[in-house]
Amino acid sequence: MCCPRQVARSVPLCVVILAAQVSWGGSPVEDLLRKVADRLEQGQVQEGPARGSWPSVGPSGETYSGPAITGMVCAYKWFGDIRYDACAWRGGYYLIETTDIQGNVLGDEAYAFLQLSDVYPDGPPPDSPGKVGWPNIWYDAVTHFYVSVRDPNYEGSTAKYLEYFDDYEPSVITVDLAHHVVASYSVKDVDRTVWRDALVRHLARVDDDAEFPILALAAATWALSEIGGLDPNTLVSPEGAGVWDGVTLADLPSLLLSQVMPEDGAYPGSLFCRFDHGLDEFGGPEGGYTEDAVFGLLGLVSVASRLEPGAVRDDFDRAIEVVFDAVLQAVDEDGVVYQHVTQQGDSPFVYAGELLQASWSVKQYQDAKLAMEQQQ
């Protein structure tokens, strides 16, 4: 989401070779994801005022620490490597300082703080650097932000704060709000339903003229599923405009499922990037973008984990497997994660963090399914 999508439509031979080497659920997958985590850890800024952040990669010049931190927390939970834990903490301290200065917290930053909080719910370990002895600073950073927007000296209300979002590109704002929704519900903020309603309102603004239509759909599906908000009685757009005509929140999972490219598609198992399945806004491929697939996985896994065994869940399980296989093709042998599954386009660190987050969600889901099957 950090840069325009301008990649060629050819499929390099190296992708075909990589796909043949990576097997679902086997050690080659874990080896590949360790390389992704290693590159993310080694690429972090180690000295100076930007210590704990990640440098920008690509022409956009933008960098996002939130997804990278979340990815490192997931890698630490998965592999138990203390280097990943330390990397995530450094990133967290950098974000604490920058959000204090800026007075603002992005959705993926709030979500990253909560992932750090999940690792150490009782606060920093005794030997941690920085703010030793504080309570759970990560959780507090999130709760304080949501309270702060209601401060009379700031905006006065959450609704007033959210008015700023109305002038921004709808798909980008939808993704940001998706993270805020999950975070605000996690801390039980009193205005969490206001954040949820804003997410739905901005999703209704998304159509094929938006920059990232399917990415927005996937992120919203993930967030609403996480909070139990896929309501069959709530329309995405009360006006029923365009792609949202008659679509309720409960319809979002099946709509997301329909975006998975078929076996005979250009990039099998990845996601289309538009509702009409045409070329993207910038004239690039009609699908195969890493972020679409990553958030598609998050949405599919969240929905599937709440389904009872049966034909519907089987459909989601098959989709999870093929999308996961497809998105791994965006990773080269050095752990670099590219914008597209053909290993083309930019390779900012944000993609690596998002890929690790989605991969961890798949592993958790598959482990839970296996444990349940063994108990039966």
Side-chain angles (χ1 to χ4, degrees):
M1 191 171 62
C2 63
C3 41
R5 297 173 167 180
Q6 296 176 329
V7 299
R9 292 175 55 77
S10 60
V11 182
L13 180 60
C14 64
V15 175
V16 179
I17 296 173
L18 178 61
Q21 292 173 340
V22 177
S23 59
W24 163 255
S27 59
V29 172
E30 293 194 342
D31 289 345
L32 190 69
L33 293 174
R34 278 183 180 272
K35 291 181 179 179
V36 174
D38 285 343
R39 178 176 179 266
L40 198 53
E41 188 269 335
Q42 293 161 10
Q44 189 179 48
V45 177
Q46 300 293 326
E47 303 292 342
R51 182 176 186 269
S53 65
W54 280 266
S56 62
V57 176
S60 70
E62 297 179 359
T63 179
Y64 297 93
S65 293
I69 293 168
T70 294
M72 292 313 298
V73 172
C74 292
Y76 174 62
K77 289 179 177 179
W78 193 334
F79 302 114
D81 192 323
I82 194 65
R83 294 178 303 131
Y84 303 158
D85 183 37
C87 179
W89 274 74
R90 283 193 298 271
Y93 283 124
Y94 170 78
L95 271 191
I96 285 286
E97 298 295 339
T98 55
T99 54
D100 279 350
I101 293 172
Q102 297 170 356
N104 192 38
V105 178
L106 298 177
D108 56 36
E109 293 171 345
Y111 186 80
F113 284 143
L114 290 178
Q115 302 318 298
L116 285 164
S117 171
D118 186 53
V119 176
Y120 293 108
D122 299 322
D127 59 346
S128 66
K131 301 174 176 62
V132 177
W134 279 37
N136 190 327
I137 59 174
W138 317 121
Y139 191 92
D140 287 350
V142 179
T143 58
H144 289 169
F145 169 71
Y146 292 126
V147 170
S148 73
V149 300
R150 298 189 289 271
D151 190 312
N153 296 316
Y154 188 17
E155 295 303 330
S157 72
T158 300
K160 188 68 175 177
Y161 174 79
L162 287 169
E163 287 180 7
Y164 287 110
F165 290 62
D166 293 343
D167 296 327
Y168 286 86
E169 201 284 329
S171 62
V172 173
I173 290 304
T174 297
V175 176
D176 185 61
L177 285 172
H179 289 87
H180 271 306
V181 166
V182 176
S184 64
Y185 271 74
S186 295
V187 300
K188 297 180 173 60
D189 184 72
V190 296
D191 281 345
R192 56 190 179 274
T193 59
V194 180
W195 289 93
R196 179 204 61 201
D197 292 347
L199 169 63
V200 177
R201 184 173 69 254
H202 286 282
L203 177 63
R205 297 172 57 211
V206 174
D207 56 23
D208 280 335
D209 290 328
E211 291 186 10
F212 312 108
I214 303 307
L215 175 57
L217 165 66
T221 303
W222 164 67
L224 292 168
S225 174
E226 287 293 293
I227 66 168
L230 293 170
D231 180 13
N233 299 313
T234 301
L235 291 168
V236 174
S237 172
E239 294 79 19
V243 298
W244 304 117
D245 185 17
V247 176
T248 69
L249 299 186
D251 294 326
L252 295 180
S254 59
L255 183 59
L256 177 61
L257 196 64
S258 70
Q259 308 308 319
V260 178
M261 280 189 154
E263 291 184 7
D264 58 354
Y267 311 101
S270 61
L271 268 66
F272 290 103
C273 65
R274 292 166 53 99
F275 292 106
D276 66 5
H277 298 176
L279 301 184
D280 86 334
E281 181 191 21
F282 307 100
E286 63 270 36
Y289 293 101
T290 301
E291 282 192 303
D292 293 350
V294 160
F295 278 92
L297 272 178
L298 289 172
L300 294 169
V301 167
S302 183
V303 171
S305 67
R306 290 160 173 80
L307 292 174
E308 294 295 327
V312 175
R313 197 180 74 175
D314 289 345
D315 289 341
F316 278 85
D317 285 347
R318 283 191 290 271
I320 289 167
E321 292 192 11
V322 298
V323 175
F324 187 55
D325 270 339
V327 78
L328 288 178
Q329 296 182 30
V331 187
D332 72 11
E333 60 185 8
D334 297 318
V336 178
V337 183
Y338 290 88
Q339 188 180 50
H340 198 266
V341 297
T342 57
Q343 296 181 19
Q344 297 183 78
D346 293 333
S347 54
F349 291 104
V350 63
Y351 295 158
E354 291 169 343
L355 178 66
L356 288 170
Q357 177 189 351
S359 299
W360 174 239
S361 76
V362 173
K363 176 173 169 50
Q364 287 180 297
Y365 174 59
Q366 293 293 345
D367 287 350
K369 273 185 56 184
L370 181 60
M372 186 171 293
E373 290 169 0
Q374 291 175 342
Q375 290 175 358
Q376 294 175 348

